[in-house]
Structure formats: C-alpha cells, structure tokens
Amino acid sequence: MLVLDYRSMSNEALSAEKADLEKRYADFKARGLKLNMARGKPGVDQLDLSMPMLDILNSTSNIYASTGDDCRNYGLGDGLPEMRELFAEMLGIDDHNIIVGGNSSLNMMFDAISCAMTHGFPGCKPWSQQGHLKFLCPSPGYDRHFAITEYFGFELITVPMTDQGPDMDVVESLVKDDPTIKGIWCVPKYSNPTGITYSDETVRRFAALKPAAPDFKIFWDNAYCVHDLTDTPDTLLNLWHECRKQHSIDMPIFFASTSKITFPGAGVAAMGASEHNLTVFREHYSYQTIGPDKLNQLRHIYFFGNLDGVKLQMEKHRAILEPKFQVVQEKLESALGGKNIAEWTNPNGGYFVSVDVMDGCAKRVVSLCKEAGVTLTGAGATFPYQKDPRDRNIRVAPTYPPVSELELAMDLFCIAVQLAAVEKILADRA
Amino acid sequence: MLVLDYRSMSNEALSAEKADLEKRYADFKARGLKLNMARGKPGVDQLDLSMPMLDILNSTSNIYASTGDDCRNYGLGDGLPEMRELFAEMLGIDDHNIIVGGNSSLNMMFDAISCAMTHGFPGCKPWSQQGHLKFLCPSPGYDRHFAITEYFGFELITVPMTDQGPDMDVVESLVKDDPTIKGIWCVPKYSNPTGITYSDETVRRFAALKPAAPDFKIFWDNAYCVHDLTDTPDTLLNLWHECRKQHSIDMPIFFASTSKITFPGAGVAAMGASEHNLTVFREHYSYQTIGPDKLNQLRHIYFFGNLDGVKLQMEKHRAILEPKFQVVQEKLESALGGKNIAEWTNPNGGYFVSVDVMDGCAKRVVSLCKEAGVTLTGAGATFPYQKDPRDRNIRVAPTYPPVSELELAMDLFCIAVQLAAVEKILADRA
C-alpha cells in the first residue's frame, strides 16, 4: 500500500480519507469500549509478580531488622539499614544519605517542597517568605510534579525537553540571574512521558549549574531507574558523583520508590540528599511522624534480598511490558508512519510513549478517543497549567490494559490521530 | 509499719531516712539495669496479638476492596469504604467524613497544621500569613503535639488540666477575644499523660466555644478511644454530635489510628472532619499522594471484620496491660502513700500514669532513675517548651517492660521520688 503524506494530498483525496476514517471511527464507537490508559498503572499480571511478598512475614522469628529492632514497634526513623542500602544502590548514592519513607515518593517530594516553604534551607529564608517564586518544568513532563509547585503558588516556567533531557542552554540562562527560581523537576531516566534518558553532558551541566538562588534544588525523581524494557537499556550518569566533583552536593534531592517494582500504593519510597539537606528534612520528619512502616520495608527486603533480586523482578516486568510497548510502536508505525502527521518516541524503558500529533490536534484526539470509550491522559497534562502551547502532545500509557485491549485502544487512537489531522488540514485550507 | 508524712518529720529522722534511701538506691545502681519507660510503646506480647494479620493476604482472591478495586494498585484516595466505616464507628462520626491515611495519625495532624500554614481555611488567609500565632496546650499533655506547633512557630499557651479535662474557664476566656489563637490540642479520652477522660460538660463547652478566630480548630486526637483497662471504662461524650447541635461542626478535627491496636508504625491512621474542612484537606492530599497503602487497610479489615473484632482485640490488650497498671498503682501506693510527697492518677485506660512529685523534684527523679539505668520520659516533656513551671510532673509509661522488669523499675522510681523529696525538704529547711 502506498503511504501518502497527508499534507500533500488533494482536498478531494483528503475528503475521501476523512469519510473512510469517520466510518471506521463510528464502527469503533459502536463497540462500546471502556478502556483506561490515563495513568501509568501496572497491569494485573505485573502485580501478581509480587504476591509472595504479601505473606512473607509469617512468624515472630522474622520480624526483626538487621539491627535487632522489632519492626512491629516504633523506631528507626530513617528506615531499616538494609532498605537504605538497597535504595542507595538503586540511586547510586551513599546509604547514610538515604531516608526511607512511606509508600509514596511523590509524598516525599511534596513534603520536601512544603518543608522548604515553611522552614527553608540553612542560611536562607523559608520559601514562603521570599515573595513571588518560580519553578522550572521541563515539558512535556510529569503532571503531578508540576501540580505540587502550582499548589504552593510557584510560577511554572516551561523548559523545552530535547532528546538529551531539558534544554540546558535554557536552564543555565534562566537560573544564573534569577534568584526567584528555586528548583527544577527532573525524571532523568526514561523521562515521563518522553521516555528519553538525560545524556551524560546534560547530567554534567546539571552538576555544574550556578544558580543565583543559594537554595536552588534539583528534584531528581529517578522513578524508572531500574525499569529497562530492552536489551539496550539506557544508562544515566551519576548526578551524586558529578555534584561531589563540582562541590554542588547540596543542590540535588534524589527520589525513588518500589511502586512500579512491587505494588503501587503498597511499595516503599525513599529520598537521598546531602547532609546539609538531610538536617532540614530529618528535623521535619522528627516532628511529622514517629517512623515509617518498617514491616513493609522488611517484606521488601525478604522478597528481594538485594539489588540482584530487584533486577530479577524487573526482568519479569519487562517480559510483560515489552510486548505492550511493541504493540504501541507497531500500531503507530503501521497506521501513522510516513503520513507526516505525528511523531513519537520509542523508549528503552519506563512507562510511557510520548506522541506529538499535528499542532492543534491533541485535544481533539483525546476527545475522540474518550467519546469512543478509551480514556487517555488529558491533552495538555504534560505541560504547566495543563496548557500545551502547541496542543500536540499526548502521553500514551500502555502498561495497564491487556495486550488484546491495548491493540484495540491503539487502533482507535491511530484513527483519531488521522481523523483529527485530516479535519485540521482541511480546515486550514478552507 | 507506721507511714510518716515526710514534711512533718524531724531533720534527724529525715536524715536517717535519706541514708537508708541512698543505700537502697546504691544497691539498685549496682544491679546495672537497662530499662526504658520513656515512650508509650506496646510490649512484645501485645505485638504478638496481631501476628495473624501479617500473612492474612495470601492469595489473588483476597486483595479486592468491597468496591471491587484491586488494593494492590493505585486509587481510592480516601481509603477503603470498609476502613472508613470502621474508623467512623470508632470515632462516632459519619463515614463519608473520614479520610484514611498512612501509618501515623501524628503525620495527619502535622499535615493538617502544615496545610493550614500554607493554604489556610476557606475565607481566611493561610496561617503563615497571619503574623504571630498561638496554640493552646492543655498541660500536662502530649509532647509530640506541642512540638508540632512549636516547629511551625506558634507561641504555646499552657492551659491547666483538671480531672474533667482542660480548664474550660481558661479556654473560653482565652479564645473569645484573641483571633491569633488558632487551635487547641486535645486527647479527650484517657488523656496523655493524666489518663482522665473529658467530662460531658467539658465536651459540651468545647462544642459551644465561640472563638474570635473564624479558623480556630480543635485537634481532637482520640488516640485511646477503645483502650479500656478496667470493668468501669470511661465514656466520652460525642463531640461530633454536640458540634452538630451547636452549628460548630467546622471547629473539630478528629484523629485516630490502630497504632496501639495492631502495630505501632504498621497500623492505619485516619482523620475525620466536616465537609468544609475536608475540601481543604482533600485538595492537599490530592497533590501530596496518589493514595494510601490499601493493602494494609485490607489486612486490618480481614483481621477485625468490624468494630466487635477491634473490641475483642482490645480485651486481649487489656489482659496484658491491666496487671502492669496494677503494679504501678501498688508500688506507688505502698512506697509513697501517706508520705505527702507525690500524687498520681489511676486511669481506667490509655497508656500512662501521671505522677506529680514534690515541686522542684521531677528533674531530679528522672535523673536519679537514668543514672541507675531506667529511662523515663524527660521531666518537663509534658509541658510546652519542655518546661514544667513547677518541675513536678512525670509521665510513667508502664506498657513496654515485662511485669518483672516493671516491678524493678517502679521500685527504683519510688526510691528516687522519696530521695528527691527528702533532699528537697532538708535543703528547704537549711
């Protein structure tokens, strides 16, 4: 079959294509689908992988930490030493720089921002007493990151994402003279949603940043640090070591969790930071809680043993997820390839594929899918204030539906992308 | 044996008593004890009661909520409906007014204060933008409550505790004209540390409060709502219903947890509040987290079934704790009774006995015990800024040590109370 660039097609040919697409769309709608690809949720078969963890603590002989502490009782505010070691290995930082928290790394990020708002960092006023403040949001990016800083009243500054990470020319130029810019959100490996991994140069430039604000922080959310999906996984340069070299160790704050390794909502989260930063956060936590859920940490420790156990688990996840990501690529390529109406990423890991449709078409595509029973992440969600200036980016989250449903959903998605494009081209010509 | 009022003894008799006490104290010191009664920690046998909960989720058939939701995945931000119902029954409020959180009710209190600081309540500025603020601290009270408001910069105002609860004449008089007073900390049943339960009149006066601050909140930490220890348990009037009657439902915020029902640190916490207040807190939580640990909620639901299951569990706790509280009363009565040097509470439940020693002697008693190997809650800890104006209150936490160790620790404690009193009386006479 000859594939035609939509933009070079005649009005007549486009109208015929439109009629065909509308018919196929109507057929889909008639099927009464009800699928949800809005969030990066693991599928049921992924959750089943961790079932042995649930009854792994079953005797009074295995409820002790390596310290001898009874994990059922209060204590060990920084978390179990063995859990701190595991996160230290995952994040590539020192274990005494790790605080293990509850079930949500997002919660730890929120608390870090909240703590900075009310108490601030050594030598600086609390952020809430510094007037109008700004936060950098590499976009497309993670909506829940942006939302936290929006909730706390920051002006959100969009920084373009490249295939090397955030555009560092823009970042460097913004932070060097503006002390009201207090931080930047980063998902450095298999970035949400583009799936790219920051290049070594990007990481080095982060470590070498010279922000005007002495309390500028890099929120380094390494959510997908072990979430490889191919035989050619990405590697991320270690920001912790680079910052040590650059004497900028107080700049980054590291986050990770097992939410997408074991159970979302019943995993374990952790943060890592320099001693200076930890002084601030440890004080915060000493008032906020008596301690984290150590039994859940212990479950994880028994289940994994060590980082090798985590890697083994991630191979099982990959076996489930890789075919789903292949479906997405195949469907996109076969339906949209060569038509000059969409571009998409093909990541080596993570949870998302990022699709850029024609400018001004993303909302229409999401709306068409919604009407036909497939819920996607809202158009614009990947940008500050949920406003994609070009209305073109859509985050595809293929992990939750079974393959058969995913195929259907992607067929519908591709029809919607084409239909919106034809409509747009015809309207532009009118 | 004739018991003598120390204060009516001659110097000579007191000096002889002192020599005897010093000898007994030295004997204790020589034993090299190492006991900790600093915190309200459940004992090991109490923790063993909940062991069946740990492996109760053991199949993919029992990981679903009553809603059909897979508890292993994201979702249900307010918690499982069945867990909300259980807390609603425990707290005596409506289940749709309950948010179930993580493992710590203290964390939810901290977050409520933090949220009020940065975002505030409808129609009012955030607390952090209202200048110098104050918080009422009924004392003796719970040190971790006071510490949260101290951390956020509140001026802590001591309100005397009576055997009916906080002195409501003082509370009413303070709040009625001062809009900078934003709240009060309460442990209304088996209060920490005095063990008293607020009288019906006290609860009614709380509901009828007319604070000058429209955003005045009662932090109603019902930590010991089901923690009865005798056949004559206290009953607490329902503040929720009283506030409904008084049209003051936006004033109280309720808290509870299963920390001292199942596992400290691996229990489940909840808060309850009016719809107006929940709007504020739900928004906060919608940014702070994707959701609570629902698997741990499900463990609790399967383990308890319903409130009757909780009550059955509490009877088992009582069987373990009642003898310990009896040891404390017996030791205090036999060693200190009639000597006019100490008073103490004899609560029907909760986790503590509050001992008032002679004015100016609490620090000395704690220090004497510490030197001989028994760690008590720090003297002064039960007052704002850890400063007991009369230096007389000591919180005794008898739950953690086994009975045999508790007997030893109480013997030492009583010797220390007597020795400190003799020293004080002799010094005052010199």
Side-chain angles (χ1 to χ4, degrees), chain B residues 57-79:
Chain B
L57 301 181
N58 51 18
S59 127
T60 49
S61 65
N62 69 359
I63 43 78
Y64 295 95
S66 58
T67 54
D69 286 85
D70 186 334
C71 292
R72 301 171 303 178
N73 223 324
Y74 294 119
L76 291 178
D78 278 354

Side-chain angles (χ1 to χ4, degrees), chain A residues 42-49 324 399-400, chain B residues 64 70 72-73:
Chain A
V44 172
D45 40 3
Q46 289 181 270
L47 303 176
D48 288 346
L49 295 177
K324 295 188 181 182
T399 56
Y400 187 69
Chain B
Y64 295 95
D70 186 334
R72 301 171 303 178
N73 223 324

Side-chain angles (χ1 to χ4, degrees), chain B residues 232-418:
Chain B
T232 53
D234 296 350
T235 54
L236 175 70
L237 194 65
N238 187 317
L239 181 66
W240 181 254
H241 294 156
E242 294 304 313
C243 284
R244 282 261 184 251
K245 288 184 210 162
Q246 295 286 342
H247 306 289
S248 60
I249 201 67
D250 290 341
M251 204 158 47
I253 309 174
F254 299 76
F255 300 92
S257 82
T258 69
S259 294
K260 293 188 178 84
I261 300 175
T262 56
F263 296 122
V268 177
M271 71 190 294
S274 72
E275 287 303 328
H276 278 139
N277 287 330
L278 285 186
T279 303
V280 174
F281 297 131
R282 281 207 180 97
E283 186 188 14
H284 181 93
Y285 282 121
S286 75
Y287 293 106
Q288 189 178 23
T289 182
I290 305 178
D293 182 343
K294 295 183 298 296
L295 287 177
N296 206 33
Q297 293 180 33
L298 204 56
R299 275 183 204 105
H300 282 72
I301 291 300
Y302 280 123
F303 185 52
F304 289 131
N306 53 36
L307 189 60
D308 286 338
V310 174
K311 287 177 180 165
L312 191 65
Q313 171 90 341
M314 296 318 292
E315 280 174 27
K316 294 176 188 168
H317 280 294
R318 175 183 161 185
I320 295 167
L321 290 181
E322 196 176 3
K324 295 187 180 182
F325 278 77
Q326 282 168 352
V327 163
V328 173
Q329 294 299 323
E330 284 160 14
K331 292 290 182 184
L332 289 172
E333 186 55 42
S334 75
L336 307 179
K339 290 184 180 163
N340 196 18
I341 54 171
E343 292 178 349
W344 54 90
T345 56
N346 185 9
N348 285 319
Y351 260 65
F352 304 103
V353 173
S354 178
V355 181
D356 280 335
V357 297
M358 276 181 63
D359 282 23
C361 287
K363 277 187 188 159
R364 176 65 179 153
V365 169
V366 171
S367 161
L368 281 166
C369 287
K370 180 95 185 171
E371 276 173 52
V374 172
T375 305
L376 299 170
T377 307
T382 54
F383 282 78
Y385 310 111
Q386 292 103 55
K387 280 183 191 152
D388 176 357
R390 294 174 64 177
D391 184 26
R392 65 166 181 169
N393 185 252
I394 298 173
R395 183 179 80 165
V396 172
T399 56
Y400 187 68
V403 168
S404 59
E405 294 185 5
L406 179 64
E407 287 175 331
L408 272 180
M410 286 308 299
D411 284 337
L412 172 66
F413 176 76
C414 290
I415 290 169
V417 171
Q418 295 170 87

Side-chain angles (χ1 to χ4, degrees), chain A residues 17-27 415 419 423:
Chain A
E17 181 78 0
K18 181 162 176 271
D20 179 55
L21 288 163
E22 281 169 343
K23 189 186 167 305
R24 289 163 62 200
Y25 177 72
D27 290 346
I415 290 170
L419 186 52
E423 290 171 351

